[in-house]
Amino acid sequence: MLSCKHTIAQGTDYLDKELGFWRKVEMKMHLMICVNCRRYVKQLKQTVIMLSKGQFKQPSKEQIDQLKREYKETNSKQ
Ligand SMILES: [Zn+2]
């Protein structure tokens, strides 16, 4: 089973559809059981959509880092 750390690390590749078949399946399986990662991927997706409408095609590293920080904060509160 994929860990949360791996899921987060692969988040952008997953949304970019750059993952191989099995890694994608692993991601989906993890997202089915893990509400925190599901929330993270959802936020990431929204960021990507938002940015794709604007000037930038890809979220910047800073924005991804910001999301990861928020994710960690959310997790530590639980
Ligand atoms: Zn997870």
Side-chain angles (χ1 to χ4, degrees), residues 42-68:
K42 199 177 150 193
Q43 282 182 346
L44 196 65
K45 197 175 178 177
Q46 282 168 347
T47 308
V48 172
I49 290 168
M50 201 177 74
L51 290 166
S52 68
K53 286 176 184 164
Q55 197 180 350
F56 304 105
K57 200 168 177 270
Q58 296 272 326
S60 69
K61 198 185 170 299
E62 287 73 26
Q63 279 159 326
I64 304 268
D65 286 345
Q66 171 69 25
L67 265 180
K68 283 181 187 173

Side-chain angles (χ1 to χ4, degrees), residues 26-40:
E26 280 181 330
M27 278 288 279
K28 279 185 180 165
M29 276 172 67
H30 185 93
L31 292 176
M32 271 193 317
I33 58 154
C34 184
V35 69
N36 290 315
C37 286
R38 205 152 61 214
R39 200 180 298 144
Y40 169 79

Side-chain angles (χ1 to χ4, degrees), residues 3-4 7 30 34 37 71:
S3 70
C4 291
T7 304
H30 185 93
C34 184
C37 286
Y71 172 84

